[in-house]
Amino acid sequence: MQRARLILPALTVTALALFAQVPAGDAAPAMEWREVFNEDGTITQTLTPKPATKTTTGFRTLAAAEVTRIYGDRDPSDAFDLVFVGDGYTSDDMATYTANVKSKWDELSAVEPFASYKKYFNVWQVDVISPESGVDHDPTKGILKDTALDMGFWCQGRDANTERLLCVDETKAKEYAALAPQADQVIALGNTTKYGGAGGSVATAAGSNAQAGQIAIHELGHSIGDLADEYDYPYLTYTGSEPREVNVTKDPTGAKWGEYLNQPSPDGGVIAPIEGARYYKNGLYRPTANSIMRTLGKEFNLIGRDAMIKAFKAKIPSLTDPASPPTPAN
Ligand SMILES: [Zn+2]
């Protein structure tokens, strides 16, 4: 493990080019589906008002933030770069933040296939400092905090039904994540002990809640492995075309999984089609009863694990270079 510190300037020329032209949007109350993670490990979807697009006049300013490499020593062009940003951590809370990032990475990197491939990761911690400690609507609705990334339960107060939906301003989170040399996946941790998290282009998790790290693992199944969700909420019957994701099929014979059929799977049982997947109770099939793409705390199934490994190989050139050491065994 190696620690390398670098201080990056607030607003580089590249950042100016990227963020100066953000168009002014209107605040149409569009809705979007969001993934919700329940404390018992089950996962569902909830319909949530989209955040209003903020009008940008002139240049948006970014605070400077210290970036620390907490794991890995690889060139970002030959690594998977995981970037943590934090919200609701004041300068006095930085020790808590550092401990939260470490515990989430420890949890994630203990799960296969990350455990076998962790040496191909760089993990970056961006020290985002907030004026106030904590996140919005914690511990109860209506309590507001002045924080850098505007994180809050009840999806920042937008959703009336789902307390554990912990949303973040994804634009701000990505701006801070861009201070790291490269971001293949961004995880935003909130300074809270209360269970919560959300999916999306920025995954979120409660920093001081021990269970919340599972959310990030599930999200990496989407972002690295391009895996579909294997839960069957909220729809009834699927009538569309064959899904592109490798871990779901509309074919009840499971022929898509070829020689994987009947092979033992790390999450238990063997690969065999089970009805109910990708938001539908009927008409779509998953490869095993209960992988992490269906329930937090479970393993990836064999199809999912191999998809992740294939994606690592595509992302990390030296993994497929014949001159490099062989792929680690599972
Ligand atoms: Zn999901």
Side-chain angles (χ1 to χ4, degrees):
M1 189 173 302
Q2 169 173 323
R3 290 177 75 89
R5 284 188 169 261
L6 53 151
I7 309 282
L8 293 162
L11 203 59
T12 62
V13 174
T14 312
L16 274 173
L18 278 173
F19 300 123
Q21 301 301 323
V22 177
D26 55 43
M31 303 292 278
E32 62 186 351
W33 285 103
R34 281 187 168 267
E35 193 157 45
V36 186
F37 301 90
N38 306 312
E39 216 156 351
D40 65 0
T42 57
I43 312 170
T44 54
Q45 295 262 331
T46 186
L47 203 54
T48 307
K50 275 189 169 178
T53 308
K54 285 178 182 137
T55 303
T56 303
T57 52
F59 299 117
R60 190 177 297 168
T61 53
L62 265 182
E66 190 169 287
V67 179
T68 308
R69 187 200 293 247
I70 65 149
Y71 181 82
D73 56 5
R74 301 182 72 83
D75 185 317
S77 66
D78 193 42
F80 190 91
D81 290 87
L82 189 62
V83 179
F84 284 91
V85 295
D87 192 46
Y89 298 91
T90 65
S91 49
D92 287 346
D93 294 327
M94 279 298 120
T96 303
Y97 175 54
T98 300
N100 288 167
V101 170
K102 185 181 184 308
S103 70
K104 292 293 179 283
W105 166 241
D106 285 348
E107 183 178 359
L108 193 154
S109 61
V111 173
E112 289 295 354
F114 304 111
S116 292
Y117 285 83
K118 69 187 281 188
K119 69 175 180 177
Y120 296 100
F121 276 68
N122 294 322
V123 183
W124 305 91
Q125 172 180 328
V126 182
D127 289 350
V128 183
I129 294 175
S130 289
E132 289 189 321
S133 192
V135 298
D136 288 349
H137 311 294
D138 179 21
T140 53
K141 205 169 187 178
I143 291 177
L144 300 178
K145 299 286 172 61
D146 179 12
T147 63
L149 307 180
D150 298 334
M151 205 180 240
F153 287 94
W154 301 94
C155 202
Q156 300 169 307
R158 280 182 272 140
D159 176 65
N161 304 312
T162 313
E163 182 171 15
R164 62 193 165 273
L165 193 58
L166 181 61
C167 292
V168 67
D169 184 320
E170 293 193 354
T171 303
K172 290 179 181 174
K174 285 177 187 170
E175 285 172 359
Y176 275 100
L179 296 173
Q182 189 167 314
D184 292 313
Q185 172 74 39
V186 182
I187 300 174
L189 299 184
N191 187 12
T192 177
T193 57
K194 181 164 142 170
Y195 181 82
S201 61
V202 175
T204 71
S208 292
N209 184 289
Q211 289 169 271
Q214 292 290 317
I215 294 169
I217 300 169
H218 174 95
E219 285 306 314
L220 289 167
H222 291 308
S223 62
I224 299 178
D226 195 24
L227 299 176
D229 285 306
E230 294 178 15
Y231 52 89
D232 52 16
Y233 184 86
Y235 303 120
L236 193 57
T237 303
Y238 183 76
T239 54
S241 54
E242 174 63 25
R244 64 177 172 81
E245 298 97 340
V246 295
N247 63 324
V248 289
T249 183
K250 62 183 286 190
D251 176 0
T253 71
K256 182 176 189 170
W257 300 321
E259 60 193 25
Y260 281 100
L261 287 171
N262 299 314
Q263 281 195 37
S265 183
D267 57 324
V270 298
I271 302 293
I274 296 174
E275 193 163 27
R278 201 173 168 273
Y279 321 123
Y280 288 87
K281 292 239 177 315
N282 309 115
L284 282 177
Y285 298 80
R286 61 188 191 271
T288 56
N290 215 4
S291 83
I292 190 170
M293 296 317 290
R294 182 177 171 93
T295 304
L296 298 187
K298 308 294 180 185
E299 296 282 335
F300 286 99
N301 59 40
L302 191 60
I303 305 275
R305 188 180 281 192
D306 279 0
M308 305 278 287
I309 290 169
K310 194 175 161 192
F312 287 145
K313 289 178 175 168
K315 181 89 207 155
I316 303 160
S318 66
L319 268 170
T320 46
D321 178 353
S324 70
T327 302
N330 284 334

